Amino acid sequence: MSRARVLPMPGPELAAWREARAADGAPLPEAARDGAQSAVTLEIDGVAVGGALLELTPDVGGTRCSLRVLQTTLPRDADEHWAAAVSALEAHARELGAAVLVVGVAPELARVFTAAGFQATMTGIGKRLDPGSAPELQEDRRVAVRPMTQAERAQYVVDVRGLLTAGMERAGVLSPGAGRIEELEDRLARLAADPPPEEEMLLTAEVDGTPVGRAWGTYVTRDGALDFLGHSLDLFPEHRGQGLTKSFLGALRRHAHEAGVRDVHLRVYGHADNARQTFLAAGAGIADVHLRKELD
């Protein structure tokens, strides 16, 4: 049986790790406004196999420990080593006083964390848009999209706050009763500005001129290319069950394609299996899986 240990990372080693990540164009993330970070070294059977960046933040009834970065040489099919590593990370999070441990891992590792009692909260979905596939981006053209009006944006900011909070609570991303999420509130305040930030995409979906849904995403530049991060997509209740979702997605893909987007990325809540299957059927792939475990 493999034995794993999690040890505080020495300062020089952490500095070298930060420098190497920055040189590779993937710098270690900054701490959240109310977060405190801790870098650790992961050992398996006495051999250092990588490092992790943990972050502690306040949570309802305790402290949340988030695994912000996990970089290791362990093969993804080394289940016995991974099981030991997960156990060691849990133990270390408890020593730090955490009541909850949350992680984001490659899909091949999700089974190891699930076997250790973690619950999947979100799935990262990604799709690269083929420049040559524009005619096939929306086969069913019932749904058209256009920018939201100022009045629609003002109402959307109110509505999406509740939609996202309820979805995160149900999925386990956010603890029930956690209150305001400052980062989300800051983003929503900017969406309500007139005009909104250029990088934000706020669209109303229509069928024959009648609004049927809304979508919000952000354009980001990566490696000299334009990518799209989707945050929220919803059909109004009275227009659900009419087979509009596929056409809506097609309209969004066409819009992103015309904007020059290379990759489309979405987060799907763990409980939203139908939505996840819809995206996968449209050619998307799973990029990562986010999981959570109560440590008490």
PDB file of all heavy atoms in Angstrom, residues 40 46 49 71 77 118 131 169 195 205 243 272 278 295:
ATOM      1  N   VAL A  40       2.355  23.397  -0.703  1.00  0.00           N
ATOM      2  CA  VAL A  40       2.825  22.160  -0.076  1.00  0.00           C
ATOM      3  C   VAL A  40       3.496  21.272  -1.113  1.00  0.00           C
ATOM      4  O   VAL A  40       3.256  21.396  -2.316  1.00  0.00           O
ATOM      5  CB  VAL A  40       1.664  21.382   0.586  1.00  0.00           C
ATOM      6  CG1 VAL A  40       1.042  22.197   1.708  1.00  0.00           C
ATOM      7  CG2 VAL A  40       0.608  20.986  -0.444  1.00  0.00           C
ATOM      8  N   GLY A  46       7.995   8.401   0.220  1.00  0.00           N
ATOM      9  CA  GLY A  46       9.242   9.112   0.487  1.00  0.00           C
ATOM     10  C   GLY A  46       9.821   9.870  -0.688  1.00  0.00           C
ATOM     11  O   GLY A  46      10.887  10.487  -0.555  1.00  0.00           O
ATOM     12  N   VAL A  49       6.729  14.065  -5.496  1.00  0.00           N
ATOM     13  CA  VAL A  49       6.130  13.852  -6.818  1.00  0.00           C
ATOM     14  C   VAL A  49       5.403  15.104  -7.325  1.00  0.00           C
ATOM     15  O   VAL A  49       4.724  15.048  -8.349  1.00  0.00           O
ATOM     16  CB  VAL A  49       5.141  12.667  -6.798  1.00  0.00           C
ATOM     17  CG1 VAL A  49       5.879  11.367  -6.521  1.00  0.00           C
ATOM     18  CG2 VAL A  49       4.028  12.898  -5.781  1.00  0.00           C
ATOM     19  N   GLN A  71       0.098  20.064  -9.247  1.00  0.00           N
ATOM     20  CA  GLN A  71       1.054  19.751 -10.314  1.00  0.00           C
ATOM     21  C   GLN A  71       1.907  18.582  -9.862  1.00  0.00           C
ATOM     22  O   GLN A  71       2.648  18.687  -8.882  1.00  0.00           O
ATOM     23  CB  GLN A  71       1.926  20.979 -10.610  1.00  0.00           C
ATOM     24  CG  GLN A  71       2.863  20.795 -11.796  1.00  0.00           C
ATOM     25  CD  GLN A  71       3.566  22.091 -12.152  1.00  0.00           C
ATOM     26  OE1 GLN A  71       2.996  23.170 -12.067  1.00  0.00           O
ATOM     27  NE2 GLN A  71       4.824  21.981 -12.552  1.00  0.00           N
ATOM     28  N   ASP A  77      -3.255   7.024 -14.243  1.00  0.00           N
ATOM     29  CA  ASP A  77      -3.830   5.696 -14.004  1.00  0.00           C
ATOM     30  C   ASP A  77      -3.220   5.009 -12.780  1.00  0.00           C
ATOM     31  O   ASP A  77      -3.489   3.835 -12.523  1.00  0.00           O
ATOM     32  CB  ASP A  77      -3.664   4.811 -15.245  1.00  0.00           C
ATOM     33  CG  ASP A  77      -2.206   4.604 -15.634  1.00  0.00           C
ATOM     34  OD1 ASP A  77      -1.316   5.231 -15.011  1.00  0.00           O
ATOM     35  OD2 ASP A  77      -1.944   3.812 -16.569  1.00  0.00           O
ATOM     36  N   PHE A 118     -15.924  12.192  -2.499  1.00  0.00           N
ATOM     37  CA  PHE A 118     -16.165  13.540  -3.018  1.00  0.00           C
ATOM     38  C   PHE A 118     -17.411  13.552  -3.903  1.00  0.00           C
ATOM     39  O   PHE A 118     -17.721  12.565  -4.579  1.00  0.00           O
ATOM     40  CB  PHE A 118     -14.971  14.034  -3.837  1.00  0.00           C
ATOM     41  CG  PHE A 118     -13.800  14.496  -3.011  1.00  0.00           C
ATOM     42  CD1 PHE A 118     -12.989  13.574  -2.355  1.00  0.00           C
ATOM     43  CD2 PHE A 118     -13.504  15.837  -2.890  1.00  0.00           C
ATOM     44  CE1 PHE A 118     -11.909  13.983  -1.587  1.00  0.00           C
ATOM     45  CE2 PHE A 118     -12.424  16.268  -2.137  1.00  0.00           C
ATOM     46  CZ  PHE A 118     -11.627  15.339  -1.478  1.00  0.00           C
ATOM     47  N   PRO A 131     -12.905  26.626 -38.015  1.00  0.00           N
ATOM     48  CA  PRO A 131     -13.153  27.757 -38.929  1.00  0.00           C
ATOM     49  C   PRO A 131     -13.873  27.364 -40.206  1.00  0.00           C
ATOM     50  O   PRO A 131     -14.542  28.176 -40.837  1.00  0.00           O
ATOM     51  CB  PRO A 131     -11.745  28.280 -39.238  1.00  0.00           C
ATOM     52  CG  PRO A 131     -10.904  27.801 -38.100  1.00  0.00           C
ATOM     53  CD  PRO A 131     -11.491  26.478 -37.684  1.00  0.00           C
ATOM     54  N   GLU A 169     -25.659  26.630  -4.924  1.00  0.00           N
ATOM     55  CA  GLU A 169     -26.039  25.997  -3.658  1.00  0.00           C
ATOM     56  C   GLU A 169     -26.499  24.557  -3.880  1.00  0.00           C
ATOM     57  O   GLU A 169     -26.121  23.643  -3.139  1.00  0.00           O
ATOM     58  CB  GLU A 169     -27.142  26.806  -2.977  1.00  0.00           C
ATOM     59  CG  GLU A 169     -26.658  28.117  -2.382  1.00  0.00           C
ATOM     60  CD  GLU A 169     -27.752  28.840  -1.631  1.00  0.00           C
ATOM     61  OE1 GLU A 169     -28.924  28.401  -1.709  1.00  0.00           O
ATOM     62  OE2 GLU A 169     -27.453  29.856  -0.975  1.00  0.00           O
ATOM     63  N   PRO A 195     -22.350  51.914 -21.407  1.00  0.00           N
ATOM     64  CA  PRO A 195     -22.436  50.540 -21.922  1.00  0.00           C
ATOM     65  C   PRO A 195     -21.717  49.557 -20.996  1.00  0.00           C
ATOM     66  O   PRO A 195     -20.883  49.975 -20.184  1.00  0.00           O
ATOM     67  CB  PRO A 195     -21.718  50.636 -23.270  1.00  0.00           C
ATOM     68  CG  PRO A 195     -20.683  51.698 -23.046  1.00  0.00           C
ATOM     69  CD  PRO A 195     -21.338  52.707 -22.127  1.00  0.00           C
ATOM     70  N   ALA A 205     -32.140  35.821 -26.690  1.00  0.00           N
ATOM     71  CA  ALA A 205     -32.524  34.874 -27.738  1.00  0.00           C
ATOM     72  C   ALA A 205     -33.976  35.143 -28.129  1.00  0.00           C
ATOM     73  O   ALA A 205     -34.824  35.384 -27.262  1.00  0.00           O
ATOM     74  CB  ALA A 205     -32.373  33.444 -27.242  1.00  0.00           C
ATOM     75  N   GLY A 243     -38.135  22.231 -27.627  1.00  0.00           N
ATOM     76  CA  GLY A 243     -37.026  21.811 -28.484  1.00  0.00           C
ATOM     77  C   GLY A 243     -36.177  22.961 -28.987  1.00  0.00           C
ATOM     78  O   GLY A 243     -35.586  22.862 -30.075  1.00  0.00           O
ATOM     79  N   ALA A 272     -26.825  18.933 -13.237  1.00  0.00           N
ATOM     80  CA  ALA A 272     -27.464  19.239 -14.520  1.00  0.00           C
ATOM     81  C   ALA A 272     -27.026  18.240 -15.585  1.00  0.00           C
ATOM     82  O   ALA A 272     -26.365  18.586 -16.565  1.00  0.00           O
ATOM     83  CB  ALA A 272     -27.142  20.670 -14.949  1.00  0.00           C
ATOM     84  N   THR A 278     -26.373  17.348 -23.366  1.00  0.00           N
ATOM     85  CA  THR A 278     -26.674  18.172 -24.553  1.00  0.00           C
ATOM     86  C   THR A 278     -25.397  18.760 -25.127  1.00  0.00           C
ATOM     87  O   THR A 278     -25.171  18.740 -26.345  1.00  0.00           O
ATOM     88  CB  THR A 278     -27.650  19.302 -24.190  1.00  0.00           C
ATOM     89  OG1 THR A 278     -28.903  18.726 -23.774  1.00  0.00           O
ATOM     90  CG2 THR A 278     -27.895  20.221 -25.387  1.00  0.00           C
ATOM     91  N   LEU A 295     -15.530  17.553   5.519  1.00  0.00           N
ATOM     92  CA  LEU A 295     -14.462  16.896   6.271  1.00  0.00           C
ATOM     93  C   LEU A 295     -14.812  16.627   7.728  1.00  0.00           C
ATOM     94  O   LEU A 295     -13.990  16.077   8.450  1.00  0.00           O
ATOM     95  CB  LEU A 295     -13.179  17.738   6.204  1.00  0.00           C
ATOM     96  CG  LEU A 295     -12.619  17.972   4.806  1.00  0.00           C
ATOM     97  CD1 LEU A 295     -11.357  18.834   4.895  1.00  0.00           C
ATOM     98  CD2 LEU A 295     -12.304  16.660   4.104  1.00  0.00           C
TER      99      LEU A 295
END
